[in-house]
Amino acid sequence: MNLVQARQRPAPAGTVSTGLAGLSEAVVDLSAVRDNVRTFRRLTPHDVMAVVKADAFGHGAVPVARAAIDAGATWLGVARADEALQLRAAGLTAPLLTWLYDAAELMLLGDMDVDVSVSTVAELQRVASVPAVKNVHLKLDTGLHRAGSTPDQWIELTRAAAHHEALGALVVRGIWSHLSHGDDPHAVQSRKQLQLLRTGVVLARRAGLRPSTTHLANSAGAINLDAPDCDVIRIGAGLYGIDETGIGLRPAMRLMSKAFQVRRISAGEGVSYGHDFVAERDTTVLLVPLGYADGIPRVAVEQASVLCRGVRMPVVGRIAMDQFVVDAGDLAVDPGEPVTIFGDGSHGEPTAKDWADWAGTIPHEIYCGIGTRVPRRYEEATR
């Protein structure tokens, strides 16, 4: 449907409001999450760690984790201790790794059977002093230079870990690292990182350790990097349909709202703060009740659009904290008309990647930015 076809009747004069509550929602398709896990399981021989940090990239950690486990993921991964404890409190019992925690949280993590990452001898000593914590994953910095043991400290760390393991204080369950160029299929750096991790595993074994798992690859790296000796892949972006390698992943979220108000403005009238947009002709504008407080990126306004009544409509004027304005032209739109902010693109709507491109960022940030004022609704769509 194009703009000409959509011009069925003139828009009403003046201002009309829906008077409705619950105007916006993020709809999460858990069947897409399951399909994405199955895609990785089909394309790689490795076990899958579903990374559900940051409330599952804004999708909802507990329902997404359950869907991922149902589809065959065998591990869960989170960044922070509170995220791990939330999953355990919800009854999820799968092996679970967290890599950012405070010493005061170690007892709770141990009591909840959460594996923790260790990068330094000092961290190792703190973990070993808490009897409840049993399983650790030693992290080697292979080139991301963010966290992990430096290569020159690795031998000391592995020997100390072997000592504590011999005393029964802990078990080194895994050795891991993180790619710096995982989304680059030709990255020489990724192969260098893999080789350094392999050397780290050899040195750990010489120290007397027998880790049961090794993991390096993120979603893109799982496809781009041939690493048969790494038995777990960590799927974060790919879990939610961020498809960096073109393997047919399905976006799991669509962001919906409604036209809260519809009004007709005259040529020469400006819209929103500063009147950056001035109408060149009489036109109809819609007020959408979402803003940068809800994750709509303010910097995207020059290119952004939404879908309403099958038509792409440009966002005009500055995006405010709680609302933004859309130019509907001469299209007749009723208050309460559904507005798709982003989806999977199958109906002509923008995608999260489109919004990321408009804002000069990545889809991860778009998803994570959808605020808590936007309720999540879960569905099981079929195809």
Side-chain angles (χ1 to χ4, degrees):
M1 180 178 183
N2 59 36
L3 186 58
V4 174
Q5 293 170 327
R7 290 178 179 171
Q8 298 175 357
R9 66 186 188 278
T15 302
V16 184
S17 175
T18 64
L20 300 175
L23 288 171
S24 304
E25 63 178 1
V27 183
V28 179
D29 180 3
L30 295 176
S31 70
V33 172
R34 292 187 176 89
D35 284 351
N36 294 335
V37 171
R38 293 183 183 116
T39 295
F40 281 101
R41 293 188 66 215
R42 185 175 67 252
L43 295 177
T44 73
H46 310 298
D47 286 346
V48 170
M49 177 186 291
V51 178
V52 293
K53 63 181 180 177
D55 198 30
F57 287 39
H59 290 65
V62 171
V64 167
R66 286 176 174 154
I69 294 297
D70 286 346
T74 53
W75 279 85
L76 296 171
V78 294
R80 300 181 358 171
D82 58 332
E83 297 171 334
L85 297 175
Q86 177 195 17
L87 295 176
R88 286 292 188 248
L92 286 148
T93 59
L96 172 58
L97 172 66
T98 184
W99 43 89
L100 297 175
Y101 53 88
D102 185 84
E105 297 169 317
L106 282 170
M107 182 65 74
L108 282 173
L109 291 171
D111 288 341
M112 291 291 186
D113 191 27
V114 177
D115 292 15
V116 298
S117 177
V118 170
S119 297
T120 68
V121 172
E123 288 177 3
L124 183 72
Q125 291 171 340
R126 283 194 293 271
V127 171
S129 69
V130 179
V133 179
K134 289 302 178 187
N135 295 319
V136 303
H137 295 232
L138 301 183
K139 186 173 186 182
L140 175 62
D141 179 9
T142 58
L144 187 61
H145 300 316
R146 198 168 61 184
S149 169
T150 59
D152 62 313
Q153 296 173 334
W154 183 249
I155 291 178
E156 180 185 7
L157 177 60
T158 56
R159 287 175 176 173
H163 170 73
H164 288 296
E165 191 173 75
L167 295 176
L170 51 80
V171 173
V172 176
R173 192 179 204 180
I175 292 177
W176 73 299
S177 191
H178 195 52
L179 293 171
S180 60
H181 294 69
D183 57 348
D184 181 354
H186 307 295
V188 174
Q189 179 65 22
S190 295
R191 293 190 291 274
K192 289 180 178 178
Q193 288 188 259
L194 175 59
Q195 188 54 52
L196 188 53
L197 183 65
R198 286 169 170 162
T199 300
V201 171
V202 169
L203 293 173
R205 292 187 180 280
R206 286 179 183 172
L209 298 174
R210 295 294 179 266
S212 60
T213 186
T214 305
H215 47 108
L216 172 66
N218 58 3
S219 297
I223 304 302
N224 292 334
L225 186 64
D226 183 18
D229 43 341
C230 293
D231 50 5
V232 173
I233 54 174
R234 300 187 305 271
I235 304 305
L239 190 62
Y240 312 102
I242 301 173
D243 196 350
E244 297 170 314
T245 55
I247 58 175
L249 302 175
R250 291 176 54 198
M253 181 191 287
R254 67 180 186 273
L255 181 60
M256 303 294 300
S257 190
K258 295 179 181 178
F260 180 69
Q261 290 181 353
V262 179
R263 72 177 63 202
R264 193 76 176 164
I265 64 172
S266 301
E269 291 189 302
V271 170
S272 195
Y273 296 120
H275 285 184
D276 293 344
F277 171 82
V278 176
E280 295 181 354
R281 59 184 176 85
D282 294 356
T283 192
T284 298
V285 292
L286 318 179
L287 184 67
V288 179
L290 288 170
Y292 59 77
D294 307 295
I296 305 300
R298 191 171 182 268
V299 297
V301 67
E302 294 296 330
Q303 303 176 69
S305 63
V306 299
L307 189 75
C308 181
R309 301 200 66 195
V311 176
R312 280 284 195 106
M313 300 178 181
V315 176
V316 293
R318 296 180 195 173
I319 293 170
M321 183 179 291
D322 313 294
Q323 54 207 294
F324 64 86
V325 178
V326 172
D327 185 1
D330 291 326
L331 176 63
V333 178
D334 295 321
E337 197 87 50
V339 176
T340 304
I341 315 303
F342 64 71
D344 65 7
S346 61
H347 296 92
E349 75 275 23
T351 64
K353 185 180 185 307
D354 289 330
W355 277 92
D357 290 343
W358 297 333
T361 185
I362 55 177
H364 315 47
E365 186 174 354
I366 300 299
Y367 288 131
C368 290
I370 304 304
T372 57
R373 299 196 304 183
V374 181
R376 272 59 170 174
R377 178 167 63 83
Y378 297 91
E379 66 178 19
E380 295 281 353
T382 58
R383 285 195 172 187

